[in-house]
Amino acid sequence: MSSPSDDAILQSIRLYREALQQTLNLFVESGEIAEGSYGWLAGENASASVDNRNMPQQMADLHEGFVMKVFATMVPASSARNLEQRQLGRILLEHVWGETVQGSKLHEAIDWLITTAEGFSWYEVTRPFLELPSLRDRWGEVITAATRMAHLIAMVDGDDSSVERSRLQSMLDGLENAKQVAKSPTSVTAPTSPSDSPTVDHQADLDNAREAISWLRSEAKRLREGTGHDAANKPTPTRAGGGSPASTEPAKPSTKETAEQDDRTPEERLAEARAKLDRLIGLDAIKNQIQTLANFLAMERHRAKEGLPTTKPSLHMAFVGNPGTGKTTVARIIAEIYGGLGVLEKGHLVETDRSGLVAEYAGQTGPKTNAKIDEALDGVLFIDEAYTLIDESGQDQYGREAIQTLLKRMEDQRDRLVVILAGYPKEMTKMIRSNPGLSSRVGTTMHFDDYDPEALCRIFELIAAKAQYVIPTESRRRLLRGFTHLYFNRDRHFGNGRTSRNSFERSVRRLANRIAGSTEITRELLTTLEPSDIEIPDLTDAQLDAMTEPSGMIRVTCPHCDTPQVIEDTLMGTTTNCNSCSEPMEVQWGSPVIDLKAPAESNPEQDSPS
């Protein structure tokens, strides 16, 4: 084996530093998202409320265990460690401790690092991404972060051995096992056929989120004490997950932790919520409806200040659409907008479904429904698959009791509570029309359409861009053709945005396997999703090859003159001149211009589940 050049080692060190910082950013940003989604849970436990309000710092602490676990997996023992990997160990210790370790102390410190990380499990260091619904969409980014760091550690010496490839695969398997260990939402009713989707139990989701947040609080404290510089001098390193905490003394809250309320002004909170809405892919009609409603409420607030008469419209809503169309995400943003406008004092979101409202025995449903509503007061109660509360036969007395309790609270506390009923279009329409109480209280119905092929591609790119991936032209063609096939052969259980996320996660794993055999790891290799990496759920490589082999056309609109035009799909990911105004325009994606019969003719196996 030839030793790597000094330039190659310096390049690996630089890339590893960047990967560590990107991982920290991922965890901290996720902590901010979790705090926005579940900060209201802090109020359930007064003694824990201070810690609960600093989830970004807790996630930063957790990331230290994550990066240490990656290193320990790739370099499990001193005998397996080479000079170059020791240099990366030094960089990791600097990242975790904030100071440089040199000489003989470096060897001892890395031994401590590996020994300590052996006490962590993949489930423990990734649990928030597995059990907090608002973070599950970032799982692909977690896989990306781990894969990048692992490749840099494995290849820093310029050698690629079967042992290191085996360790990398072991890491990926460990992450996949962690996903299986996680408490996934349970099914209220089992699917009756392979094409049916299980009913998500939001009460289980909420319970898991509550438990995961409580765990994160204690685990962050344990990691903070167990991975700090002083911990390396202890005779027995602190282990994560299980056992008693290293210290029973409460952690001293930082200045940031002592803030009990959101320190943003209402204007800042409103601006951030609107920015989140604008960043969502597609959903133009939904965005317009929300903007119109927000403008109306703002006007009414100004009229009230001037002593003018105001109206109080019903703010309760119905969200109708198939799974994966962004209903929960939009509900969370609406809660933030209402909070920013002062319509709701807290502006938080509480998610539930039938299981969170209906009890098993007579007389218990009313109190259970009221308890759930109490959690949502001064915020938004989001009830998924709300149509399951009404039985067409009229025999479901428990569901009827939940509805009656809900209707009364929707009217009596309309100033403190907004209810959003969500579900499939047909079932929701029937539910609202069949119940006069609901139809009179639900003032707005928003229709969430399925994402078209171009939107699915843009969602894929949005996720990829967060992890700094580049999608070349041929990969774009492969994605657009594959998503187009799935879209035109979809049924009511089509995954929509979840399809894009699944495709991204699978593609990243393919990339990891492809570059495992590379003798030199470069930024380009780590960030480029080649056509061979792209995987579309329920489509084989042979099917994708057949779809992308013929050239195709896409419809785009010039950003300068707003002229729609049809161009070749080989121009995606490039800059070309507008056919009308001749100005240069960047072509990222386009709407496919195809013969709708083409997929069926070129894919005899299209009847497989999609």
Side-chain angles (χ1 to χ4, degrees), residues 48-69:
S49 61
V50 170
D51 279 342
N52 264 1
R53 293 192 181 97
N54 195 18
M55 292 185 198
Q57 181 57 53
Q58 293 163 4
M59 289 293 286
D61 293 335
L62 187 65
H63 111 281
E64 295 180 0
F66 178 77
V67 296
M68 289 169 61
K69 180 66 176 176

Side-chain angles (χ1 to χ4, degrees), residues 458-479:
R458 292 189 182 279
I459 293 173
F460 184 103
E461 184 175 39
L462 182 65
I463 301 170
K466 289 180 180 179
Q468 299 189 2
Y469 280 108
V470 176
I471 309 174
T473 296
E474 287 305 311
S475 298
R476 290 173 183 271
R477 293 185 67 242
R478 201 170 181 86
L479 284 166

Side-chain angles (χ1 to χ4, degrees), residues 426-444:
K426 182 179 178 181
E427 287 84 346
M428 288 301 300
T429 300
K430 183 182 297 184
M431 172 190 182
I432 294 174
R433 287 179 178 175
S434 65
N435 190 302
L438 281 177
S439 60
S440 64
R441 287 171 175 79
V442 175
T444 303

Side-chain angles (χ1 to χ4, degrees), residues 68 111-120 226-227 231 237-240:
M68 289 169 61
D111 283 344
W112 165 85
L113 184 155
I114 294 173
T115 302
T116 301
E118 287 175 350
F120 307 159
T227 63
T238 302
R239 293 172 65 89

